[in-house]
Amino acid sequence: MNRLTTDFDQSDEQKFEVAISHDPDISQIADIYFDGSTRAFLSQVTVPIINPETGDVIAAMTVGLDVSGALRPDS
């Protein structure tokens, strides 16, 4: 858990492509980056949400991972 980000509009980011691609097999793991608004090193995993009745992509779910701990030499 981190503080809330100030970047609420995600439509200009690559992960948005997962939601609009209509390809149920596409997902994305983002490169590690420093997020100044949360002051942490993060990565994000985005996967499609599939309608089980039709197989259509109806949304995408993005999970943010704070990887700062994994970057410490003692971890």
Side-chain angles (χ1 to χ4, degrees):
M1 297 289 295
N2 287 305
R3 286 174 282 177
L4 291 176
T5 182
T6 56
D7 183 15
F8 293 106
D9 180 11
Q10 306 291 307
S11 65
D12 63 339
E13 298 182 17
Q14 187 177 8
K15 64 186 171 197
F16 188 70
E17 294 294 318
V18 173
I20 63 172
S21 71
H22 303 291
D23 183 350
D25 296 322
I26 193 171
S27 61
Q28 182 202 28
I29 300 174
D31 292 336
I32 295 171
Y33 65 97
F34 182 76
D35 183 346
S37 65
T38 60
R39 291 182 289 188
F41 286 94
L42 306 175
S43 181
Q44 295 179 335
V45 177
T46 303
V47 295
I49 305 297
I50 311 298
N51 179 334
E53 294 177 8
T54 65
D56 293 335
V57 176
I58 57 173
M61 177 179 67
T62 299
V63 177
L65 305 171
D66 181 348
V67 298
S68 299
L71 298 174
R72 286 190 212 112
D74 60 338
S75 58

